[in-house]
Every structure is written in C-alpha cells, then in structure tokens.
Amino acid sequence: MNKVQRKASCCLLAALMCWAVPAFSADETSQQHFSPLQNADTKALMDELVEQGMPEEWLIDTLGQASFTQGVLDAMEGAAERRLQWHEYRAIFMTDQRVEEGVEFMQAHADTLHRAQSTYGVPAEIITAIIGVETYYGRHKGQHRVLDSLATLAFHHPVRGGFFRGELAAFLRIAYEQQVDPTELRGSYAGAMGYPQFIPTSYQAYAVDFDDDGIRDLWENPVDAIGSVANYFAEHGWKPDAAIYHQATGPEQLPEGLFNELSFNQTSTPTVTAAQLAEHGVEATEPLDDELRVVPLALEFADGETRYRIGEFNFYVITRYNHSHLYAMAVAELAEAIAEQYEEEA
C-alpha cells in the first residue's frame, strides 16, 4: 500500500468509526482506555487480583479511571542518570540550599533519626540525604497520578511492561488495604511514592509503621518514611561501621577494555578486589585490605578530567535504591555535607 492509499484508508477508517461509536471527550476516551470492561489486558490483571481476594467492583471502578499518559513514556527515556555526566548530575543535588534544608530536617526529626539509626544501623545523614535527593525533604513528591503512570507503563512500555504490571498490582493492593483513594495519590512518572519515593513493591516489602499508629504512611508521615528508608538499607545489607567510598588516584586515561574488565561504575555486587585495582594503578588514598571487594568509580568533572573513587559495599547498597553510580555518589556527598554542617551548628 503506497502513501496515498494509506492516507485514504486512514480517512475511511476514521469516518467509519465516527458512525460506529459514540463521540467521547478526550478525558472520557483516555479513561476508558484501561477499563477492564473494554481492555483484555486490564481484565486479566483484574481477574488475578479478584482471585487473591480483591473486590471486582472496586477494581473495575479504579482501573476505569486510569488514563494513558504519553509524557510518562517520554520521561522514562530521558532519565538524568542515563544522560548526564557526574559534574552535571552533582550540580542538581549539591546546593547550599539542599544542604541547609537537610540540616533543618535533621534538627526537626532528631529523635526519630536517632531511633532509626539505633534500630537499623543506618546513619541519620544517609537517611536524610535519601529523602533530600528523592523529594527535597518531602517538598516535591511528584505531580503524576500514580494510577495513570503505572497503568501506562504496565501496558505500553515497550520493554518493562511486565515489571510495571507487577507494580500496578501492588499499588492497587496497597490503596485498597490502606483505604486510600488510588485516584488521588501522586508520585513520580515511574510510580514512586511519598517522602522516600518507594515503588509499590518496595512499599509492601520495606515500609514500616515507625510511629506505631497502625498505619504505614509514606505519603504524609515523615516518621514512617525515616524508619522505612532505614529498614530498606538494613534489609539490603548495610554495614553500620563501614565506609561508603574512598578517594583514589589512577592513570589519566584507562583503556576501554580494562574499564569494562574491572567493572567501573557498575551497580552489581562488588567482585573486583582492591589489590586488582592497584595492579592497574588505581589506589585509594588510604590503606585498604587487599581482599576487600570494591566498586571502582571513574567520574567526569567539569574541567574535563576523570577522577577516581573506590566504593565499598555500602556504596553498592545505596545503588539498590536507585541503580546508578551517580545517584549513590550524590547521596554520599550530600550526606557528608549535611553531617558536617549539622555538627557545626550543634
């Protein structure tokens, strides 16, 4: 079929559709897109959840109010962790204001942060930095309706639809069990929610009721958010008395093959030893155990130079929150700056 034929065919189809179906507004059309009464994919999800004990009527009503959002798919393609160099990414989070407000957050929640550190072994400044990077200490929790984001990603993402289908199912369970309106909850374009931006399955697995009021509320309750972040890190193996990273020296340019061989900037479980790095000229500025398994890091700075750092297991743990070495380094540096200023003002 040539271009003219295709155009004529599309026009004919559009004309036929005008006769075949009633006219809907843009909002009505988008909302009907995910209705289980009209969409086989959402019906299959609904049927699974009904078998697990959720009410069919509630699911039909809720999924019928979900809207397709192209902006969510576009945002997934432009994530900062995939397109920025270290100095560009760092500049987003390492600002005087974010440090100062981190100190204020620590001061306002000192007792809760101390209890979380005592309970889970995670430093108060790390918990604070996570919330500071994720939502600016709860100020920016996201403007996307979580229901829309997850429905769009579950049934329209070209690669990760299966993953987000599971997140949508978890979100629906959370909203139903906690008796909150799923159409009112807002979060990131990827469906992350609340102060700590937990995705729904993380909410289910790691959220805690840290103030013992019978509700795990990460949307509005900073106490539960603080405890939940600490629990998340503890469950992923945080080592209370270990370092996060070390400054290091190395060659001006590392061969690409060696860069890959030594797993630089990877977020998988550390396998390279400090001794192996030293053999190739990358050494911490302080003594490390030769057998210590580490995360080799090469970071691009604004002057065009690449500088080295060596992450320990705790660095890897931070990447369990967001699978990016840039993210983990930003959290670590922000935590350091907050802790230093907090001590100065104590």
Side-chain angles (χ1 to χ4, degrees):
M1 183 181 294
N2 60 35
K3 185 182 295 185
V4 174
Q5 290 172 319
R6 283 198 301 270
K7 184 175 181 180
S9 177
C10 289
C11 291
L12 176 60
L13 178 60
L16 290 172
M17 289 178 67
C18 289
W19 288 97
V21 300
F24 294 110
S25 70
D27 286 346
E28 289 172 332
T29 302
S30 63
Q31 287 181 356
Q32 286 202 11
H33 192 85
F34 295 114
S35 170
L37 301 179
Q38 298 172 314
N39 186 308
D41 291 330
T42 49
K43 183 180 185 305
L45 176 63
M46 180 191 73
D47 290 344
E48 291 175 16
L49 294 174
V50 169
E51 288 182 5
Q52 296 168 17
M54 292 187 65
E56 181 175 307
E57 184 177 345
W58 185 90
L59 289 165
I60 290 173
D61 178 65
T62 299
L63 287 167
Q65 296 183 69
S67 298
F68 172 79
T69 308
Q70 180 61 44
V72 165
L73 296 174
D74 296 339
M76 288 291 289
E77 294 301 313
E81 290 85 356
R82 291 199 293 269
R83 58 184 172 83
L84 300 182
Q85 294 186 331
W86 164 240
H87 66 93
E88 298 169 318
Y89 190 85
R90 182 183 189 276
I92 298 172
F93 302 105
M94 288 301 296
T95 65
D96 291 342
Q97 183 177 357
R98 201 178 298 251
V99 173
E100 290 167 3
E101 294 192 23
V103 172
E104 292 172 5
F105 185 89
M106 285 188 66
Q107 292 169 338
H109 302 285
D111 291 343
T112 300
L113 286 162
H114 176 74
R115 183 160 61 92
Q117 182 167 343
S118 299
T119 302
Y120 298 106
V122 182
E125 63 269 20
I126 290 292
I127 302 169
T128 300
I130 287 287
I131 296 174
V133 168
E134 291 292 341
T135 60
Y136 219 126
Y137 312 106
R139 184 188 303 172
H140 305 305
K141 300 173 190 171
Q143 294 301 313
H144 296 270
R145 286 208 316 171
V146 176
L147 179 64
D148 297 340
S149 295
L150 292 177
T152 298
L153 293 168
F155 301 112
H156 291 280
H157 194 279
V159 178
R160 303 185 67 197
F163 170 81
F164 284 108
R165 188 179 186 277
E167 295 302 323
L168 175 59
F171 171 71
L172 293 169
R173 291 191 195 97
I174 292 168
Y176 179 72
E177 291 168 0
Q178 298 198 191
Q179 298 182 355
V180 293
D181 186 347
T183 68
E184 293 296 323
L185 297 174
R186 295 185 179 271
S188 76
Y189 60 81
M193 307 178 293
Y195 276 84
Q197 293 290 278
F198 275 15
I199 59 174
T201 52
S202 290
Y203 199 117
Q204 288 180 317
Y206 306 111
V208 297
D209 174 19
F210 207 51
D211 61 359
D212 296 321
D213 67 351
I215 303 171
R216 299 187 301 170
D217 177 12
L218 303 189
W219 297 289
E220 303 296 338
N221 189 336
V223 176
D224 284 356
I226 287 168
S228 298
V229 170
N231 181 50
Y232 187 101
F233 276 84
E235 290 292 327
H236 283 82
W238 182 270
K239 299 181 178 181
D241 298 318
I244 299 174
Y245 75 96
H246 306 274
Q247 299 288 349
T249 58
E252 288 187 10
Q253 187 171 5
L254 205 64
E256 183 175 348
L258 192 60
F259 188 92
N260 295 330
E261 180 184 333
L262 294 176
S263 300
F264 270 84
N265 298 344
Q266 297 299 304
T267 59
S268 51
T269 306
T271 58
V272 177
T273 66
Q276 287 175 301
L277 280 184
E279 289 175 5
H280 297 286
V282 180
E283 299 184 77
T285 56
E286 55 193 296
L288 296 180
D289 184 333
D290 284 347
E291 298 306 312
L292 179 67
R293 296 187 183 277
V294 297
V295 181
L297 300 164
L299 305 173
E300 307 92 344
F301 282 74
D303 58 10
E305 291 188 7
T306 296
R307 301 189 181 104
Y308 298 95
R309 293 178 184 174
I310 296 176
E312 289 202 23
F313 188 81
N314 281 344
F315 185 91
Y316 163 75
V317 172
I318 298 176
T319 68
R320 299 308 85 204
Y321 210 96
N322 180 314
H323 293 189
S324 164
H325 70 286
L326 300 180
Y327 176 89
M329 187 55 65
V331 168
E333 285 202 5
L334 180 60
E336 290 173 343
I338 291 171
E340 181 178 352
Q341 187 165 322
Y342 183 83
E343 289 299 322
E344 289 175 358
E345 297 184 12

